[in-house]
Amino acid sequence: MKMNRPYMKYLDEFCDPKLARGLIKAIEGLVDREICLMEVCGTHTVAIFKHGLRGLFPKSLKLLSGPGCPVCVTPTQDVDTAIWISRQKDVVLTTFGDMMRVPGTIGSLEKQRANGADIRVVYSVLDALELAKTNPAKKVVFLGVGFETTSPSIASCIYTANKEGISNFWIYVCHKLIPPAMRALLESGETTIDGFICPGHVSTIIGSLPYEFIASEFNVPCVISGFEPLDILQSVYMLIKQIKEKKAQVQIQYSRCVKPEGNEKALAMLYEVFEPADSNWRGIGVIPNSGLKIRQGYNRFDASIHFEMPTSQVTEEKSGCICGEILRGVAIPIDCPLFAKVCTPEEPIGACMVSSEGTCAAYYKYGG
Amino acid sequence: MCLGIPAKIVKINGSIADVEIGGIERKASLDLLKEAKVDDYVILHAGFAIQKLDEEEAKETLRLLEEIGI
Ligand code: SF4
């Protein structure tokens, strides 16, 4: 758990190996039956693998990865549409780097760029807006992917662009919301989940209240967790304690960043610009009100309105890829016959192997 | 993709701050925060400060951790 970098406040205190050993012992003392927890967020999946936490838990404690990798749940059609946009005259398509290699049915954005399309990776949506301002003859489109952690910043950028009267900037919105996806998983009943490790940074925005239905309607405990090893261990401990005491509550372990009410200013900005809409999740299908669309007052920034897009046809996964099952917690990567044989991070077949936060990529890199 | 890193605000210029992360300086938009001042720690995500870090809560979490771990 030692880091090769200068000391960082709020990170390094939560990596202490001595405290970790104590927590693992406390967890061992509590687990007396098979327990299955789901970490919803891909950033948690990576942290759990990177710190080797799975190997430290008792055998009867299972961790399942959930649908919380935005790149992995972006359906093929949206990748195809982004590629189509990048082929239009004068367009500069901007995106977060993670989306570049995701396969659509007609290749990836990376391949498209190699074929001459003007596709640029940006760190922030503000960089895309800047690009629009400095290139008035170009049509700058940003591919908006991400959960509640990311969407308020996109909303804020649209708000600014509107105020400044920018007319050559659009967003192709693929944003998704986490709580409706958790509801869909629970309602499907496909897999038994005894507790949820809830996403820390999504919750900095939405707070703890949107998870209450999971405890009250489904009787499943939730703990909102930070991302350092001690955060995750403590969250697992808190979940197992609830399970043992037959409680189902929403608790906040990551209290240094998460308030029950969330970030009210960010939420207000999010819903000033966006409204909930049905959304298609790769491997899961359409989930009611699980996505976002730009409200009418701002729809001149909506790429899906500005560009006359062809209606997309193809929906199915590449043959043999079981990303969908993995995203629903029904299967794990080693159940996939293509895993590590045909499908590798260098030659990915499905999105779960492309994204560094995809479950298949994490299994490949750190071992299941 | 929901990665967020604790960053310390070193300078504020309107709604943009210079923040420091492990010795490296970056820019951060403060548009999503109600208030922020120099020396505050914030969570930086894709160019935006998305929440302030609460020092007291961090201490309390560490205290609880020690209690469980003993
Ligand atoms: S290993 Fe590859 S083909 Fe198999 S589920 Fe994962 S991404 Fe899909």
Side-chain angles (χ1 to χ4, degrees):
Chain A
M1 295 184 191
K2 186 117 183 51
M3 314 287 167
N4 286 327
R5 52 160 169 73
Y7 174 81
M8 283 176 71
K9 191 170 157 75
Y10 294 116
L11 291 185
D12 293 357
E13 308 95 295
F14 295 91
C15 295
D16 182 70
K18 204 173 113 240
L19 284 177
R21 275 192 293 275
L23 271 169
I24 290 160
K25 257 185 113 178
I27 292 170
E28 277 169 357
L30 280 181
V31 177
D32 55 5
R33 64 169 177 94
E34 284 259 320
I35 291 178
C36 180
L37 305 179
M38 175 177 274
E39 87 271 1
V40 177
C41 166
T43 312
H44 276 143
T45 302
V46 171
I48 288 166
F49 273 103
K50 196 170 97 189
H51 298 293
L53 300 184
R54 277 171 183 249
L56 304 175
F57 290 136
K59 286 256 167 316
S60 47
L61 174 60
K62 300 247 168 339
L63 285 185
L64 269 183
S65 308
C69 156
V71 173
C72 306
V73 296
T74 301
T76 325
Q77 300 98 295
D78 281 332
V79 179
D80 288 351
T81 304
I83 290 175
W84 180 87
I85 294 174
S86 76
R87 287 178 178 163
Q88 305 311 300
K89 194 168 175 294
D90 295 329
V91 162
V92 181
L93 184 79
T94 55
T95 174
F96 292 134
D98 313 45
M99 285 305 294
M100 287 301 284
R101 299 180 60 217
V102 180
T105 51
I106 42 170
S108 63
L109 290 170
E110 191 174 63
K111 287 213 178 96
Q112 197 56 34
R113 182 168 67 180
N115 290 340
D118 194 348
I119 301 175
R120 305 189 201 180
V121 170
V122 290
Y123 160 69
S124 165
V125 66
L126 294 177
D127 300 338
L129 181 60
E130 198 48 42
L131 205 64
K133 288 188 202 170
T134 47
N135 295 276
K138 292 280 183 193
K139 296 179 164 189
V140 177
V141 181
F142 179 76
L143 175 55
V145 173
F147 298 126
E148 292 92 328
T149 318
T150 315
S151 42
S153 61
I154 313 300
S156 170
C157 182
I158 294 176
Y159 186 82
T160 306
N162 188 49
K163 235 174 39 192
E164 296 181 2
I166 309 290
S167 58
N168 63 330
F169 180 66
W170 294 269
I171 309 278
Y172 182 60
V173 180
C174 302
H175 292 293
K176 296 195 174 354
L177 304 171
I178 283 288
M182 293 172 77
R183 174 180 284 282
L185 284 183
L186 288 164
E187 280 178 350
S188 82
E190 281 186 309
T191 175
T192 312
I193 299 162
D194 298 306
F196 281 110
I197 301 173
C198 296
H201 288 142
V202 163
S203 308
T204 61
I205 304 292
I206 68 172
S208 61
L209 305 178
Y211 304 105
E212 285 295 340
F213 77 91
I214 299 174
S216 60
E217 271 179 56
F218 294 93
N219 211 23
V220 176
C222 294
V223 174
I224 298 169
S225 178
F227 297 89
E228 298 314 304
L230 290 183
D231 290 320
I232 296 169
L233 290 173
Q234 189 182 23
S235 300
V236 169
Y237 173 83
M238 289 163 78
L239 279 172
I240 295 174
K241 198 148 177 285
Q242 283 199 50
I243 294 167
K244 188 130 178 147
E245 291 168 0
K246 300 203 168 15
K247 285 186 186 153
Q249 294 171 345
V250 181
Q251 295 176 316
I252 305 175
Q253 181 278 333
Y254 198 30
S255 57
R256 62 189 182 278
C257 293
V258 177
K259 308 281 162 240
E261 68 281 10
N263 177 342
E264 287 169 321
K265 189 173 178 196
L267 278 173
M269 180 51 79
L270 177 61
Y271 289 109
E272 160 72 23
V273 174
F274 290 111
E275 59 189 329
D278 296 352
S279 185
N280 187 11
W281 295 57
R282 189 187 285 245
I284 301 177
V286 175
I287 305 175
N289 285 324
S290 67
L292 292 172
K293 83 175 218 250
I294 299 181
R295 281 186 196 275
Q296 208 168 12
Y298 295 91
N299 69 9
R300 66 190 180 94
F301 298 100
D302 190 339
S304 67
I305 293 179
H306 177 78
F307 295 93
E308 272 174 33
M309 296 174 182
T311 36
S312 133
Q313 332 75 18
V314 208
T315 49
E316 80 278 9
E317 245 348 305
K318 291 239 170 104
S319 59
C321 173
I322 59 162
C323 264
E325 275 94 325
I326 293 170
L327 291 166
R328 300 200 304 274
V330 183
I332 56 173
I334 47 178
D335 298 330
C336 175
L338 308 180
F339 177 74
K341 296 188 188 93
V342 182
C343 181
T344 63
E346 290 72 41
E347 292 287 336
I349 304 283
C352 302
M353 188 61 96
V354 176
S355 167
S356 55
E357 292 190 347
T359 310
C360 295
Y363 265 73
Y364 186 89
K365 185 160 175 203
Y366 302 105
Chain B
M1 232 185 96
C2 284
L3 211 60
I5 303 168
K8 187 180 173 182
I9 300 181
V10 291
K11 207 170 106 196
I12 298 179
N13 194 347
S15 67
I16 300 284
D18 290 338
V19 298
E20 191 236 280
I21 305 163
I24 297 162
E25 282 215 359
R26 283 258 178 104
K27 297 264 180 237
S29 164
L30 300 177
D31 279 339
L32 298 176
L33 295 185
K34 228 191 251 159
E35 40 166 25
K37 54 183 190 316
V38 170
D39 287 341
D40 279 348
Y41 275 81
V42 294
I43 292 288
L44 180 66
H45 169 79
F48 283 76
I50 58 166
Q51 186 58 288
K52 253 167 55 168
L53 275 133
D54 186 326
E55 168 110 57
E56 286 310 311
E57 286 291 346
K59 281 192 194 143
E60 176 62 13
T61 304
L62 285 168
R63 195 189 61 73
L64 283 174
L65 277 168
E66 271 168 38
E67 221 175 79
I68 305 166
I70 294 168

